Amino acid sequence: AAPSRVLVGLSADTGPYREAAAGAAEVLGEGAHSVVAGKASPTVPAGVTAVIVLGSRASLWDYPAHVRLVHAMNPGLTDAGPQSVRVAMEPEPAVLTDRLLGLQPRLRRLAVLHASTEAGEYAAALVRAGAARGIAVHSHVLAEKGALPDVLRNLAGKVDALWIPPDPMLINATSLTNLIEFARANRIPLYVPTAGLVSLGATAAVAPSFQEFGRLGALAATGAVSASAAVVYPAEVETVVSRKGMEAAGLWLKDASPPVGVRVLP
């Protein structure tokens, strides 16, 4: 597909979306056209056969029925439609479990907390990937608002680590504070889905970059990845850790070098 046949729709003209658009341009070429979400749906130029939809706001636009939609950076999306593809914000379950074992070789009991249906589907796949690697993954659904403190109290002393998916129904300032405090009090790591959460106090993240979301979205839009796949997982995944957080969880000595390929924040 020529670049002129793919449109990139951004939910906002801000850093993460622009980084993703730049990733798409690496595949599509500098001629790739992009539009920023406004109050009205954009006019899709004649000849466009696919739209890379970056974020939830752009997903609310009305698109022509013949256009293939590739959704990225929209963790709350549960039904992308029969002709659509979703770029996952999580790594493949096997990749995630392998990376966590690289950080924590003695990991045997991992708690996964989530509130949305989509996150629950991924958690089920993570249970299977963990079982193949000797990790008992326990999925905990937060069915009610305010349930997190009780769930955490019941997990005290029973798990080696926590992981949360990119779940907009779970992640907010209050829940993140509760999770960080629980992890520190129990001297276990809190693994999160974005590097930005590591800078806010979480222990480590195994996550794709924003550029990777755009790059993979462009590959899906041009047919370079399987057109039959409803969900595609990022190939390039980064591991970002907090040195202080790792030390607080008892995973590193102060002078220890990080594993190869791990980016360390102060």
Side-chain angles (χ1 to χ4, degrees):
S4 61
R5 298 181 64 190
V6 179
L7 179 70
V8 182
L10 288 71
S11 287
D13 192 16
T14 56
Y17 298 108
R18 281 297 173 191
E19 290 176 35
E26 291 179 9
V27 175
L28 301 174
E30 293 301 325
H33 182 60
S34 64
V35 292
V36 180
K39 294 183 179 179
S41 299
T43 299
V44 177
V48 166
T49 58
V51 179
I52 305 169
V53 184
L54 301 177
S56 58
R57 188 176 182 186
S59 71
L60 299 177
W61 285 335
D62 291 324
Y63 296 98
H66 70 277
V67 171
R68 176 179 174 83
L69 300 180
V70 180
H71 293 273
M73 297 173 64
N74 189 353
L77 185 68
T78 56
D79 184 9
Q83 302 300 321
S84 300
V85 173
R86 182 174 63 83
V87 176
M89 292 190 70
E90 314 94 335
E92 285 191 85
V95 172
L96 177 59
T97 49
D98 285 343
R99 294 290 185 94
L100 295 185
L101 279 172
L103 296 175
Q104 189 177 359
R106 295 184 180 181
L107 176 62
R108 295 295 178 268
R109 303 170 299 173
L110 176 67
V112 176
L113 309 180
H114 62 91
S116 70
T117 301
E118 178 191 333
E121 294 174 357
Y122 182 85
L126 198 58
V127 169
R128 295 189 292 271
R133 291 158 175 79
I135 304 173
V137 178
H138 302 281
S139 175
H140 298 270
V141 184
L142 304 177
E144 299 179 0
K145 187 177 180 179
L148 180 59
D150 287 338
V151 170
L152 291 177
R153 278 192 289 270
N154 289 333
L155 289 175
K158 300 177 182 177
V159 295
D160 302 319
L162 300 176
W163 180 78
I164 57 173
D167 186 346
M169 295 179 63
L170 169 62
I171 300 174
N172 55 54
T174 300
S175 64
L176 186 61
T177 297
N178 289 339
L179 289 162
I180 291 171
E181 291 179 349
F182 175 85
R184 289 176 178 172
N186 288 273
R187 210 165 183 254
I188 61 173
L190 169 62
Y191 299 121
V192 290
T194 67
L197 295 178
V198 177
S199 65
L200 294 177
T203 309
V206 178
S209 66
F210 294 116
Q211 291 94 329
E212 175 66 5
F213 293 136
R215 189 189 71 82
L216 186 55
L219 291 174
T222 58
V225 297
S226 174
S228 63
V231 179
V232 291
Y233 287 102
E236 300 294 331
V237 179
E238 183 181 41
T239 301
V240 180
V241 306
S242 162
R243 181 174 289 277
K244 290 181 180 178
M246 293 290 284
E247 291 172 358
L251 297 181
W252 284 355
L253 298 174
K254 289 186 177 181
D255 297 328
S257 298
V260 175
V262 174
R263 181 160 64 93
V264 183
L265 300 181

